[in-house]
Amino acid sequence: MRGRRLHEGDRVRLVSPASFADDAWVEQVGAVLAGWGLKPEVGTHARDRHGYMAGRDEDRLADLNEAFRDPGVRAVVAVTGGAGAYRIVDGIDAEAVRADPKPVIGFSDIANLHVWLWAQTGLATIHGCVGAGGRTDATARRLLFEPEPITLHGSALVDGRAEGVLAGGFSGAVSNFIGAGLPGLDGAILCLEGAQGVHFDRFLWTLGRSGLLAGIRGVALGDLSGCEAGLDAEVALGIVRDRLGGLGVPILSGLPFGHRADQMCFALGVPGVIDTEAGTLTTGPAVH
């Protein structure tokens, strides 16, 4: 299920489902969207602060549902990640999402939204952000305005070619759904980024023991250096080989998404293709 592509003059809503961003960053995100000819609107509580989160749970959820329910809002942009989106996902108005699908863009803790929306509604979402400049903004704009695929380049960890629905995002967010709503990954390509030391090891082994990896088609790995202090990328790749290398599916690593400068945005919840000989992950469009 995809939202329609954006056009100049469309309204887009800026929300903070997790942590808060400073005012300068909110303004920067809005300025980029306005530069694309869109009409950015800042959610009522997007600038609130409550501990490490952007306001109380009920207020962050209200902003999100208001954006989903407003037929004039054509995309939902999370201004930052952080922590807290996992606290509100069960209150999302799934019927409003199904009735009027629209793209949602964000990453890091916002992957909690990506996983929940894919599992509960089948909505295609966008892993990435707006406002960072470079190819991050370039790919975000393409995904919002153009119903075209995106290709990311990486390196083969396990050779092969596979097609499947792209699912996942930040590993810490995906781990939140094991035993709590993560569907089986039969027919899926699991996309992961943001390894954080032993937590990443524990996550992958728990995922394997859960039985959710049965039928998985492939694995696509973004930045594995972690957004906090932890193991470096090479150690993380060793963990991946230990846990996933025996699945008999292609694994592509070093893809330019995640907690890194100049990341590429790409769609989740859409068909994708891993081709390790070409070193590519090709993702379907996020909009129609």
Side-chain angles (χ1 to χ4, degrees), residues 67 157 202 205 213 243:
L157 195 66
R202 185 181 300 117
W205 284 91
L213 294 176
R243 173 63 269 183

Side-chain angles (χ1 to χ4, degrees), residues 11 66 69 80 91 101 142 159 174 208 215 222 233 242 256 268 275:
R11 293 164 51 210
E66 183 180 332
R69 292 166 181 161
T80 193
R142 273 186 63 190
D159 291 334
V174 177
D242 288 346
L268 292 168
D275 185 340

Side-chain angles (χ1 to χ4, degrees), residues 47-60:
R47 288 189 170 99
D48 289 359
R49 299 193 178 195
H50 181 71
Y52 54 83
M53 293 173 291
R56 300 174 303 167
D57 292 349
E58 55 265 37
D59 293 331
R60 301 194 320 281

Side-chain angles (χ1 to χ4, degrees), residues 7-275:
H7 298 86
E8 288 190 14
D10 280 344
R11 293 164 51 210
V12 294
R13 187 69 52 83
L14 278 61
V15 295
S16 300
S19 294
F20 55 83
D22 60 44
D23 287 344
W25 178 251
V26 176
E27 295 302 321
Q28 182 169 328
V29 174
V32 169
L33 293 166
W36 297 346
L38 301 171
K39 296 179 179 178
E41 305 168 347
V42 179
T44 303
H45 300 284
R47 288 189 170 99
D48 289 359
R49 299 193 178 195
H50 181 71
Y52 54 83
M53 293 173 291
R56 300 174 303 167
D57 292 349
E58 55 265 37
D59 293 331
R60 301 194 320 281
L61 178 61
D63 273 4
L64 194 58
N65 279 333
E66 183 180 332
F68 285 135
R69 292 166 181 161
D70 187 334
V73 171
R74 299 319 313 155
V76 181
V77 179
V79 294
T80 193
Y86 47 83
R87 296 173 60 145
I88 64 173
V89 290
D90 292 325
I92 293 173
D93 187 342
E95 288 304 314
V97 174
R98 295 187 191 100
D100 183 19
K102 56 194 74 174
V104 177
I105 182 167
F107 82 111
S108 192
D109 196 65
I110 306 305
N112 286 283
L113 302 187
H114 296 319
V115 174
W116 192 94
L117 289 166
W118 170 63
Q120 299 298 322
T121 72
L123 180 69
T125 58
I126 299 172
H127 185 283
C129 65
V130 173
R135 65 179 176 179
T136 306
D137 283 350
T139 49
R141 189 186 188 285
R142 273 186 63 190
L143 287 160
L144 289 169
F145 280 84
E146 302 173 14
E148 301 293 338
I150 291 277
T151 298
L152 295 79
H153 293 268
S155 303
L157 195 66
V158 176
D159 291 334
R161 186 182 187 279
E163 300 181 13
V165 176
L166 303 177
F170 175 50
S171 59
V174 177
S175 69
N176 291 335
F177 287 86
I178 299 175
L182 182 65
L185 295 169
D186 185 12
I189 292 173
L190 179 61
C191 304
L192 295 174
E193 59 92 7
Q196 296 186 47
V198 296
H199 301 294
F200 184 61
D201 185 45
R202 185 181 300 117
F203 156 61
L204 287 185
W205 284 91
T206 302
L207 187 61
R209 293 171 64 203
S210 72
L212 293 171
L213 294 176
I216 192 171
R217 299 284 180 81
V219 180
L221 302 172
D223 184 78
L224 294 182
S225 59
C227 60
E228 296 178 2
L231 303 180
D232 63 29
E234 286 304 312
V235 176
L237 288 178
I239 294 171
V240 172
R241 291 188 188 95
D242 288 346
R243 173 63 269 183
L244 305 180
L247 294 176
V249 301
I251 302 177
L252 195 63
S253 67
L255 294 160
F257 68 86
H259 291 78
R260 52 168 290 164
D262 205 24
Q263 67 165 305
M264 290 181 70
C265 304
F266 71 103
L268 292 168
V270 301
V273 179
I274 283 180
D275 185 340

